[in-house]
Amino acid sequence: MARLPANILERLLNLRFSQSTNCKRRLIRDFKRLSTDPPGGISGSPCPDNIMLWNAVIFGPAETPFEDGTFKLVLTFDESYPNKPPTVKFLSRMFHPNVYANGELCLDILQNRWSPTYDVAAILTSIQSLLHDPNPNSPANAEAAQLYRENMKEYVRRVKATVEESWLDPDDKLEGCGRGAGWRRGPILSLWSSLVCLSSYVIM
Amino acid sequence: MKVTVKHWHAVAQWRWDTGASESEGNDENEDVCGICRVPYEGCCPSCKMPGDDCPLIWGECTHVFHMHCLLKWIGTPASKQQCPMDRRTWVTAERKVGNS
């Protein structure tokens, strides 16, 4: 029986898989970096059954009105990552000049100032510093921007309400992975399941 | 005592000459392509074999990437032909490519 020469077979496999595996390989490296050398106040991991979909938490930076908040986000990657940024969305309700009502962000590095040298850790760190330093000149939430400029006391009060809300986010509000499974198990268990998922990707 | 060599293996190691000396290159991030995060001596995610088929590319801004990674980025409209590290317009440095 005729056999396909190995190099042709390999090339066919490459055609079929290369684009998506490139992106997955990079995401596995991102996850490794995020778990071995995590920047303070952020955490994130891919869904156990879909590495293109990540859940993340940003802890509100100290000495800002966001302090003590646990803000959940979902990051959706497509095959052009890292040449294209992921879609990033807050799942927790936010009150911030640069966050739209639907949770999407107005952040230059996720739009026209994206660079393929950014990784998940860099994205989450940038968002964390956006909480610190809102940019009221390109408002996504006009009310938040106005209060930030003109009525700091009321701005702080409104933000603090979202901080308390962030602790109560019910699982079924999370549309990311594992509806109902991920967060209730607590960070250690979900980190563990992510590691298991990481090792299964490596074996693959 | 007399020694007779029956057989021997030659072993060689290579690395790209990125201009960074061994001692300088201690920091982990120094030696990986900033785009795919794979070491320079590995290959870009689209290639199977490291070496001349998956070379590095140097910019005049001194930044170094796997050639395939950089060209893929420069090929996207979003890149605006800029270096991913410093956003300067990418100009490939002539000196290194092909003779290292």
Side-chain angles (χ1 to χ4, degrees):
Chain A
M1 206 169 85
R3 277 182 54 192
L4 271 178
N7 60 341
I8 294 189
L9 194 65
E10 200 172 273
R11 223 172 266 177
L12 286 174
L13 284 172
N14 277 348
L15 275 181
R16 170 71 180 78
F17 292 118
S18 64
Q19 182 74 0
S20 84
T21 44
N22 287 356
C23 148
K24 286 175 185 169
R25 240 176 243 173
R26 172 56 141 71
L27 286 170
I28 288 167
R29 279 171 199 276
D30 284 17
F31 185 44
K32 256 186 212 160
R33 182 178 160 208
L34 200 56
S35 29
T36 54
D37 183 21
I42 63 171
S43 82
S45 62
C47 300
D49 56 352
N50 182 4
I51 197 171
M52 311 292 273
L53 193 63
W54 287 49
N55 277 332
V57 179
I58 295 179
F59 297 91
E63 284 158 43
T64 72
F66 296 91
E67 185 165 8
D68 297 330
T70 52
F71 303 104
K72 285 95 182 163
L73 306 96
V74 62
L75 294 82
T76 315
F77 298 85
D78 74 22
E79 288 174 1
S80 6
Y81 180 77
N83 283 325
K84 221 190 90 186
T87 310
V88 182
K89 214 176 135 177
F90 274 103
L91 294 175
S92 306
R93 193 176 71 82
M94 299 300 286
F95 188 76
H96 185 282
N98 308 109
V99 181
Y100 291 97
N102 66 1
E104 279 168 24
L105 289 100
C106 183
L107 180 58
D108 55 358
I109 65 142
L110 292 177
Q111 279 123 24
N112 53 2
R113 281 176 73 80
W114 172 254
S115 156
T117 57
Y118 296 145
D119 65 357
V120 178
I123 295 169
L124 293 176
T125 310
S126 299
I127 298 174
Q128 189 185 36
S129 71
L130 185 69
L131 296 186
H132 219 286
D133 286 312
N135 176 6
N137 296 323
S138 62
N141 178 336
E143 192 192 5
Q146 194 199 355
L147 288 180
Y148 180 76
R149 274 192 308 250
E150 295 165 10
N151 187 348
M152 189 47 85
K153 205 174 151 206
E154 177 64 7
Y155 173 76
V156 170
R157 196 188 66 78
R158 295 282 296 271
V159 170
K160 284 199 167 154
T162 66
V163 167
E164 294 193 11
E165 242 178 80
S166 73
W167 304 330
L168 304 172
D169 283 335
D171 281 350
D172 46 318
K173 215 184 112 189
L174 300 181
E175 59 189 47
C177 47
R179 291 167 60 95
W183 304 113
R184 191 175 288 151
R185 263 187 272 153
I188 294 177
L189 259 181
S190 56
L191 175 66
W192 175 244
S193 67
S194 310
L195 285 175
V196 171
C197 110
L198 175 70
S199 55
S200 66
Y201 285 121
V202 171
I203 291 163
M204 176 191 81
Chain B
M1 194 177 79
K2 211 173 161 186
V3 176
T4 314
V5 178
K6 287 189 171 165
H7 51 245
W8 54 281
H9 298 283
V11 177
Q13 194 189 6
W14 64 273
R15 62 201 292 269
W16 295 106
D17 177 11
T18 54
S21 68
E22 300 261 349
S23 53
E24 257 179 87
N26 277 340
D27 185 4
E28 237 179 68
N29 287 327
E30 295 283 300
D31 296 311
V32 303
C33 168
I35 298 177
C36 66
R37 309 266 167 159
V38 176
Y40 292 135
E41 278 69 36
C43 52
C44 84
S46 305
C47 288
K48 286 271 151 84
M49 281 283 286
D52 286 338
D53 290 338
C54 187
L56 301 185
I57 191 166
W58 281 260
E60 279 187 354
C61 53
T62 73
H63 292 122
V64 187
F65 304 93
H66 288 131
M67 185 180 82
H68 298 147
C69 296
L70 192 271
L71 293 183
K72 215 181 266 177
W73 163 245
I74 291 292
T76 66
S79 74
K80 295 172 228 147
Q81 318 291 311
Q82 291 168 348
C83 169
M85 291 286 189
D86 58 17
R87 298 204 166 90
R88 283 197 266 171
T89 302
W90 179 266
V91 184
T92 304
E94 298 292 336
R95 56 191 182 95
K96 295 252 189 174
V97 181
N99 63 12
S100 52

